[in-house]
Amino acid sequence: MTHATPTPQHHAPTPETPGLLRIAGLPYFIIAFIARLPFAMMVVGVLTVVVSARGSLSLGGLTSAAVGLGTACFGPLLGAAADRFGQRTVLLILAIANGAMLVIFTLVVYTGGADALVLIAAFGIGATAPQVAPMSRSRLVTMIADRMPEALRTRTVSGTMAYESAADETVFVFGPFIVGILASALAPWAPLIGAAVLTVVFVGAFALHPSARAVSVHRDEDGRAPSKVSELFSPHLLIVVVGILGVGMFFGTMLTALTSFMADRGAPEQAGLLYGVMGVGSAILALGVAWLPVRFSLRARWLLFSGILLGGSLLLLLVDSPAMMMVALAIMGIGIGPTLVTQYSFGAARSPLGRSATVMTMLGSGIVVGQSLGAAVAGELAENVGTGSALVLPIIAAGVAFTAALVNWPLSATRPRVASV
């Protein structure tokens, strides 16, 4: 059922067994990390440019949403194209197209183009955004399946998903920070031009890395035809998409509600600092998942950590001060990182043969869709009803992730291939 099922040649680790760092090479991880930065800079960079050049926060918000919508609509299609034609070809095209769209968007904004053109250009940025993170996950899982003994695969995949999730969270912390530095030191348009340069150079390097060819060889020489598209819609995989959609909704609703919470106290600019309490803890705990014992199954991890997330979110009903909000965010951070790692691990384990990039982009798009939807609804509630109503939404989002974990429990038991995970 999955792509990671080659006949094992070893049943126990040996001193000669290479680690994933040795298999992929340190340059791979450096290139893949930097290649993620442009996307983390795009949404905030677009908002900064529009607000600066057009003086409209409303248009800036719509433009940022358009970027996310473009990614959500085309992300899975780009993953499917990578599975069909190979990552190298798709990524090289996207590196050039996305770099061009970033420049075009900047020109449209500063030359007085109509608002509709601004939104179309923003959608184009999202639609052509290179799916570096999902494709990196796909590459690494393929390397693990091809080059590592079966006895090490479960732990290595878990550790890999932990690293990848922590890397994503790190770039989404540093991305806006870089935007702020470039916009302040140079000009509001500088972050987008910088993102364009990084996209062409580092996404191009990621495309040309030998690991891209390895994925293509695995696809071409596996000896079996790729799985049917219908297998992407199996209940075992769709429940993971629903769960990760809940995580995305949590991200969007929590940050928006937190901003409203701090605005009520006259310090909206401090929302990012408080949010960082959850982000840092989440990244640390995400990396810690790699050290959990194999007997602590994936389905148990999802249930436990999403339960912690839900429990922490219930404290939002009681918060009345920034200090108490910080405590709630710290508890939620314990749950959110490991939950996300576990969901990606399930996605890797349940990817149909030849569809790993598609599955990873489906999961990545689930986060983007949930985040965009959650932020939009939370913003409307906070502005028209009040912060208290907006703070209920992260609880609902956490409830979606937890409910998906409950549904996943019996589904895992019915799948011999994943019952132990």
Side-chain angles (χ1 to χ4, degrees):
M1 177 62 185
T2 70
H3 65 282
T5 56
T7 302
Q9 297 179 349
H10 305 279
H11 298 282
T14 67
E16 293 78 21
T17 301
L20 186 59
L21 179 61
R22 180 178 169 188
I23 292 173
L26 181 61
Y28 171 85
F29 288 97
I30 295 175
I31 292 170
F33 182 84
I34 299 177
R36 301 167 200 250
L37 273 175
F39 183 75
M41 297 169 62
M42 286 175 194
V43 176
V44 179
V46 161
L47 177 65
T48 301
V49 166
V50 172
V51 172
S52 173
R54 298 295 179 94
S56 173
L57 183 60
S58 175
L59 179 60
L62 287 174
T63 307
S64 296
V67 175
L69 181 62
T71 302
C73 290
F74 283 86
L77 297 178
L78 297 177
D83 282 330
R84 174 66 179 84
F85 303 106
Q87 288 193 16
R88 177 166 293 174
T89 299
V90 173
L91 284 170
L92 284 174
I93 293 173
L94 290 176
I96 297 172
N98 192 244
M101 284 306 307
L102 287 165
V103 175
I104 290 172
F105 173 83
T106 306
L107 292 175
V108 169
V109 172
Y110 279 98
T111 55
D115 290 352
L117 288 179
V118 173
L119 294 176
I120 291 172
F123 182 87
I125 290 175
T128 58
Q131 302 293 310
V132 173
M135 292 190 189
S136 176
R137 287 179 169 91
S138 176
R139 289 190 198 186
L140 293 175
V141 169
T142 299
M143 293 180 203
I144 293 168
D146 286 350
R147 302 282 298 278
M148 300 194 74
E150 187 175 22
L152 295 180
R153 287 180 200 156
T154 299
R155 178 180 289 276
T156 306
V157 168
S158 180
T160 300
M161 295 302 107
Y163 163 76
E164 289 285 312
S165 297
D168 286 344
E169 294 193 39
T170 301
V171 297
F172 274 99
V173 169
F174 281 102
F177 179 70
I178 294 173
V179 168
I181 291 177
L182 291 177
S184 300
L186 299 176
W189 50 262
L192 290 185
I193 300 303
V197 173
L198 286 175
T199 297
V200 173
V201 175
F202 284 94
V203 174
F206 181 70
L208 295 173
H209 190 275
S211 59
R213 176 59 185 161
V215 173
S216 298
V217 170
H218 182 277
R219 187 187 68 252
D220 296 338
E221 298 180 357
D222 190 78
R224 292 174 289 172
S227 299
K228 296 178 181 179
V229 174
S230 61
E231 292 190 28
L232 293 171
F233 300 96
S234 70
H236 302 85
L237 191 53
L238 288 180
I239 194 61
V240 181
V241 176
V242 172
I244 212 165
L245 177 70
V247 171
M249 291 168 56
F250 176 81
F251 283 138
T253 56
M254 189 65 248
L255 180 57
T256 305
L258 178 60
T259 301
S260 177
F261 178 83
M262 294 306 296
D264 291 346
R265 287 153 181 77
E269 71 281 355
Q270 294 182 13
L273 295 176
L274 285 180
Y275 193 73
V277 172
M278 184 182 74
V280 172
S282 175
I284 294 173
L285 267 294
L287 286 172
V289 170
W291 300 100
L292 293 175
V294 175
R295 63 180 179 274
F296 186 11
S297 66
L298 289 184
R299 65 175 181 170
R301 296 179 193 181
W302 187 355
L303 193 63
L304 173 63
F305 289 112
S306 63
I308 293 174
L309 173 64
L310 178 58
S313 68
L314 290 173
L315 293 178
L316 296 175
L317 298 174
L318 305 174
V319 295
D320 57 5
S321 67
M324 191 168 182
M325 176 63 79
M326 189 178 300
V327 172
L329 289 168
I331 294 174
M332 288 184 282
I334 294 173
I336 191 69
T339 297
L340 189 59
V341 170
T342 303
Q343 289 168 337
Y344 270 115
S345 295
F346 265 119
R350 294 175 176 177
S351 295
L353 176 68
R355 304 287 182 184
S356 61
T358 306
V359 170
M360 290 302 167
T361 48
M362 284 172 61
L363 298 182
S365 296
I367 293 179
V368 173
V369 171
Q371 191 171 20
S372 301
L373 178 64
V377 175
E380 285 295 318
L381 273 182
E383 185 172 343
N384 298 314
V385 182
T387 300
S389 297
L391 285 172
V392 174
L393 294 179
I395 301 174
I396 296 174
V400 171
F402 182 72
T403 302
L406 290 174
V407 175
N408 176 72
W409 187 274
L411 287 177
S412 295
T414 62
R415 283 284 301 278
R417 284 284 306 155
V418 297
S420 63
V421 299

